[in-house]
């Protein structure tokens, strides 16, 4: 595995990190923009995890935000009630959320495509109800406010301002590096094989159920880390932060950018994550715009913005040879993907 | 010769349809075994049952001295029993190279991967070496069938089950495929489903005839051609 992790330290990725840090520093003067950027970074992290599930494996998990919620409430509970350090609480909550995610997902792992999405929708609904119902843990619809930001261990101070923004930037970048490593590993190849044809994947010796379970676990880790960071960054957690609409908007970032491409979800998150902030006065309009975008993307650009762009660029012969060496994603020729 | 593959008393019912009725099939190592029968006679169900795609109602299957009854498809494949599909199945949107590399994953895990020379030789033999960068779905059907074969051989199978390997091919391609299959015998044992007698006669050492889920004959092609029941129920009809 180390070989694949090392392969993640590529010039492109380092460039991406530099760009992200520069962006965080540039906008740090304006707290509003800095906050939007912070949320965008968490969205990139979430989109990278959703991309592993939806883009590479072909599993549309609409319970993604719910799993993020389990981790968020877990982290907040351990920090605020038990007095744990964020850095101890977060991994525990994330692992717990991932285990719960896999357990809840177990019955649906034999399903594919539409049926998997449907069963994950049910799981999300149950989780959303759970967040409202277990008032003792979640404070119900009122939500938990005044959540302290992550502490900086051994210093007695907490992450705040640009420090927190940079932490989120780094977390987003780390999630991309991990996705890159997975996409270029045998595990990533198995996921693509499962997405393309489960029956054939089994016929060439790939354990479809085991690999689906693994990717579900890994994807839940992304969801969980994002959830813990989100709650502590915003300082507030309520069932609405982790509902079906949140799952859908993460899915939309992936689909909008380009499923199964490495950069697509990043592009999708960069474009879509700030939208709700721009439309703060028009809350209903936001949902309408999201709905319209979902339909537009499915009908007009099944490959996504970045995926479609990539398909055009690939037709240029000079770049073709270079890009053909980049694997993991599918050639996005605009063909409709059933997932 | 030792028995490579032993299926005993296989039964499978789909609602009111008996797809397999107490079918016994034995294949010896190195032997090429053919299976013929009209459409709907249970040939593909038989292969699906053996490779674990289909759960049997009763019966046992041994492969290479191991009980593989009810074992899941990926484990059957890992045990060295590869299969192809009647309707060709490849990763159509991936390149030929990616298809082959995905098929090699299993042996990569076992650190038993094909040597570079072996791969080159295999791809040269199947005339795929100039098509590696093509998108698999853009290949001709004949090329796709060869790719399918190459993917299976990347797994070093002991036995390969071919479901109508010449289905849909043009006459010239059928001849070329027959030659490939004859050469394939040197690499692994072959079980082949066909419903054209001509192909079976040329390839198989022994033939099993399946009609409405029941085995009605089992023997060398020459004998099968003379078998009265086979002539009446199959060869004499328009199917063959």
């Amino acid at each position: 595995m180390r070989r694949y992790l090392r392969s993640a330290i590529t010039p492109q990725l380092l460039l991406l990190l530099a760009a992200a840090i520069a962006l965080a520093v540039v906008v740090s003067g304006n707290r509003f923009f800095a906050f939007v950027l912070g949320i965008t970074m968490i969205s990139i992290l979430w989109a990278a995890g959703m991309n592993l599930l939806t883009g590479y494996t072909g599993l549309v998990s609409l319970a993604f935000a719910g799993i993020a919620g389990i981790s968020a409430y877990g982290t907040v509970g351990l920090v605020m009630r038990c007095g744990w350090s964020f850095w101890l609480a977060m991994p525990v909550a994330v692992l717990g959320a991932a285990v719960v995610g896999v357990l809840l997902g177990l019955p649906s792992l034999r399903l594919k495509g539409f049926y998997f999405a449907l069963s994950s929708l049910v799981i999300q609904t149950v989780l959303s109800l759970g967040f409202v119902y277990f008032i003792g843990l979640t404070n119900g619809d009122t939500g938990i406010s005044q959540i302290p930001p992550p502490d900086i261990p051994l210093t007695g101070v907490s992450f705040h301002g640009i420090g927190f923004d940079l932490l989120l930037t780094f977390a987003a970048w780390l999630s991309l590096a991990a996705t890159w490593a997975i996409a270029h590993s045998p595990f990533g190849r198995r996921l693509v094989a499962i997405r393309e044809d489960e029956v054939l994947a089994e016929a060439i010796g790939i354990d479809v159920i085991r690999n689906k379970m693994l990717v579900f676990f890994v994807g839940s880790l992304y969801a969980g880390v994002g959830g813990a960071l989100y709650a502590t960054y915003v300082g507030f957690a309520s069932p609405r932060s982790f509902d079906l609409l949140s799952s859908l908007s993460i899915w939309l970032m992936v689909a909008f950018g380009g499923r199964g491409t490495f950069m697509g979800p990043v592009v999708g998150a960069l474009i879509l994550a700030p939208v709700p902030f721009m439309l703060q006065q028009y809350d209903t309009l936001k949902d309408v715009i999201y709905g319209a975008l979902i339909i537009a993307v499915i009908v007009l650009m099944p490959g996504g913005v970045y995926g479609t762009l990539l398909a055009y660029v690939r037709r240029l012969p000079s770049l073709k040879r270079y890009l053909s060496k980049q694997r993991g994603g599918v050639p996005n020729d605009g063909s409709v993907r059933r997932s | 010769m030792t028995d490579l593959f032993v299926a005993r008393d296989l039964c499978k019912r789909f609602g009111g349809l008996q797809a397999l009725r107490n079918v016994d099939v034995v294949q010896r190592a190195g032997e090429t075994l053919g299976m013929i029968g009209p459409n709907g006679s249970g040939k593909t169900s038989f292969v699906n049952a053996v490779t674990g795609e289909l759960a049997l109602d009763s019966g046992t299957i041994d492969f290479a001295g191991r009980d593989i009854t009810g074992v899941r498809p990926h484990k059957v494949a890992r045990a060295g029993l590869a299969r192809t599909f009647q309707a060709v199945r490849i990763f159509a949107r991936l390149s030929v190279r990616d298809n082959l590399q995905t098929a090699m994953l299993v042996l990569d895990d076992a650190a038993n991967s094909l040597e570079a020379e072996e791969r080159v030789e295999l791809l040269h033999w199947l005339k795929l070496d100039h098509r590696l960068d093509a998108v698999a779905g853009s290949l001709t059907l004949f090329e796709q069938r060869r790719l399918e074969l190459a993917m299976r051989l990347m797994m070093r199978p002991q036995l390969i089950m071919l479901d109508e390997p010449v289905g849909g091919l043009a006459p010239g391609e059928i001849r070329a495929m027959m030659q490939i299959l004859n050469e394939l015998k040197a690499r692994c044992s072959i079980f082949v489903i066909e419903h054209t007698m001509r192909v079976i006669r040329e390839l198989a050492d022994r033939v099993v005839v399946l009609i409405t889920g029941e085995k009605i004959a089992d023997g060398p092609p020459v004998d099968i051609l003379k078998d009265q029941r086979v002539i009446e129920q199959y060869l004499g009809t328009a199917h063959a």
Side-chain angles (χ1 to χ4, degrees):
Chain A
M1 197 64 204
R2 190 178 299 155
R3 182 155 60 99
Y4 303 108
L5 286 180
R6 208 180 303 139
S7 76
I9 312 298
T10 63
Q12 295 102 307
L13 273 170
L14 290 177
L15 204 69
L16 209 63
L17 178 64
I21 290 176
L23 194 61
V25 172
V26 166
V27 301
S28 66
N30 182 322
R31 266 332 285 162
F32 177 71
F33 285 135
F35 182 75
V36 172
L37 185 73
I39 296 296
T40 306
M41 287 301 161
I42 295 174
S43 301
I44 288 177
L45 189 157
W46 269 333
M50 180 68 99
N51 191 29
L52 272 183
L53 294 168
T54 302
Y56 288 97
T57 324
L59 299 170
V60 176
S61 172
L62 297 178
F64 198 82
I67 290 161
I70 296 177
S71 159
Y73 284 121
T75 307
V76 170
L78 289 172
V79 169
M80 291 177 77
R81 285 160 193 259
C82 309
W84 288 25
S85 160
F86 174 84
W87 300 104
L88 188 62
M90 193 259 288
V92 170
V94 167
L95 271 179
V99 169
V100 172
V102 170
L103 288 179
L104 288 176
L106 271 184
S108 58
L109 287 173
R110 284 175 188 273
L111 306 175
K112 43 188 145 183
F114 175 71
Y115 298 97
F116 180 88
L118 206 62
S119 101
S120 72
L121 177 80
V122 173
I123 294 171
Q124 172 66 53
T125 310
V126 170
L127 288 176
S128 285
L129 287 172
F131 295 151
V132 177
Y133 185 78
F134 292 103
I135 293 182
L137 294 170
T138 64
N139 203 21
D141 271 323
T142 319
I144 303 173
S145 47
Q146 290 183 311
I147 298 169
D151 53 301
I152 303 173
L154 307 174
T155 60
V157 287
S158 304
F159 279 98
H160 63 276
I162 176 122
F164 206 164
D165 297 339
L166 287 176
L167 176 70
L168 296 180
T169 305
F170 187 67
W173 178 78
L174 214 60
S175 76
L176 289 178
T179 304
W180 177 277
I182 290 171
H184 289 76
S185 73
F187 178 46
R189 246 186 211 296
R190 286 193 200 98
L191 298 182
V192 171
I194 290 169
R195 176 191 70 201
E196 292 295 308
D197 188 335
E198 283 191 19
V199 175
L200 176 55
E202 291 229 295
I204 56 173
I206 294 172
D207 188 341
V208 169
I209 295 190
R210 181 166 173 270
N211 281 287
K212 272 191 188 176
M213 217 155 79
L214 271 173
V215 76
F216 211 67
F217 183 80
V218 176
S220 299
L221 293 181
Y222 283 73
V225 172
L229 289 173
Y230 180 88
T232 49
Y233 187 63
V234 180
F236 176 69
S238 83
R240 280 223 53 187
S241 324
F242 308 107
D243 62 359
L244 177 65
L245 212 61
S246 316
S247 286
L248 275 174
S249 72
I250 297 165
W251 175 85
L252 185 61
M253 288 171 198
V254 175
F256 189 83
R259 279 168 284 181
T261 63
F262 175 69
M263 279 302 286
V266 180
V267 174
L270 281 174
I271 295 174
L272 293 181
V275 168
F277 295 97
M278 305 304 144
L279 297 173
Q280 248 166 358
Q281 290 96 324
Y282 317 97
D283 204 40
T284 4
L285 192 65
K286 187 194 84 183
D287 293 352
V288 173
I289 289 185
Y290 263 84
L293 273 177
I294 290 177
I295 295 169
V297 163
I298 291 173
V299 174
L300 300 175
M301 278 187 304
V305 177
Y306 181 79
T308 307
L309 199 73
L310 205 64
Y312 282 116
V313 170
R314 278 204 169 116
R315 298 210 180 105
L316 303 172
S318 56
L319 275 167
K320 221 173 183 172
R321 214 171 307 123
Y322 169 74
L323 286 168
S324 70
K325 286 181 189 128
Q326 316 237 325
R327 56 187 173 73
V330 288
N332 272 293
D333 48 6
S335 58
V336 180
R337 194 162 306 148
R338 285 155 292 147
S339 61
Chain B
M1 276 195 283
T2 53
D3 290 342
L4 176 63
F5 166 77
V6 183
R8 288 252 171 271
D9 221 17
L10 303 192
C11 290
K12 177 67 192 181
R13 175 182 278 282
F14 295 113
L17 177 79
Q18 188 87 40
L20 295 172
R21 201 189 301 261
N22 308 98
V23 177
D24 287 312
V25 174
V26 176
Q27 178 166 12
R28 289 180 284 274
E31 179 186 45
T32 301
L33 184 62
M35 181 176 264
I36 55 168
N39 288 329
S41 59
K43 303 186 299 291
T44 299
S45 291
F46 177 80
V47 173
N48 285 345
V50 170
T51 55
E53 313 271 346
L54 190 68
L56 282 167
D57 294 335
S58 64
T60 60
I61 303 151
D62 283 2
F63 171 69
R66 237 181 93 184
D67 184 6
I68 57 162
T69 318
V71 170
R72 279 171 49 208
H74 70 275
K75 286 198 176 150
V76 174
R78 282 165 180 243
L81 203 172
R83 64 151 321 165
T84 62
F85 296 89
Q86 191 171 352
V88 72
R89 257 196 143 109
I90 48 170
F91 298 119
R93 299 191 304 174
L94 305 186
S95 70
V96 171
R97 191 190 306 276
D98 279 342
N99 268 271
L100 292 166
Q101 276 174 348
T102 307
M104 282 171 58
L105 286 174
V106 172
L107 288 190
D108 280 347
D109 290 348
N112 186 24
S113 204
L114 258 66
E115 303 292 333
E117 309 90 78
E118 287 179 283
R119 292 200 296 263
V120 170
E121 186 270 338
L122 178 63
L123 296 180
H124 182 72
W125 171 54
L126 291 172
K127 299 188 178 64
L128 287 168
D129 34 12
H130 62 294
R131 300 293 271 151
L132 289 178
D133 291 316
V135 175
S138 71
L139 302 181
T140 67
L141 180 65
F142 185 33
E143 285 173 325
Q144 291 186 2
R145 290 239 183 250
R146 272 150 40 207
L147 173 59
E148 208 178 20
L149 213 52
M151 286 169 75
R152 298 310 181 279
L153 293 173
M154 288 285 175
M155 303 166 63
R156 291 187 200 277
Q158 275 181 275
L159 170 63
I160 185 165
M161 294 190 137
L162 306 167
D163 197 345
E164 304 201 3
V166 302
L169 298 184
E173 292 170 339
I174 292 181
R175 276 193 296 280
M177 190 52 136
M178 294 299 288
Q179 196 193 333
I180 289 174
L181 295 180
N182 268 312
E183 290 166 6
L184 179 66
K185 290 177 183 176
R187 293 170 191 258
C188 65
S189 301
I190 303 172
F191 176 99
V192 55
I193 290 182
E194 260 306 329
H195 61 193
T196 49
M197 195 56 206
R198 200 164 51 87
V199 173
I200 289 288
R201 195 170 52 196
E202 202 182 311
L203 274 180
D205 302 318
R206 197 158 55 84
V207 183
V208 169
V209 185
L210 217 57
I211 288 179
T212 58
E214 206 168 351
K215 186 170 97 169
I216 63 156
D218 185 341
V222 233
D223 297 351
I224 294 294
L225 282 169
K226 285 184 282 194
D227 188 299
Q228 205 52 45
R229 283 184 69 193
V230 179
I231 292 169
E232 276 169 21
Q233 297 192 38
Y234 180 46
L235 297 177
T237 67
H239 300 300

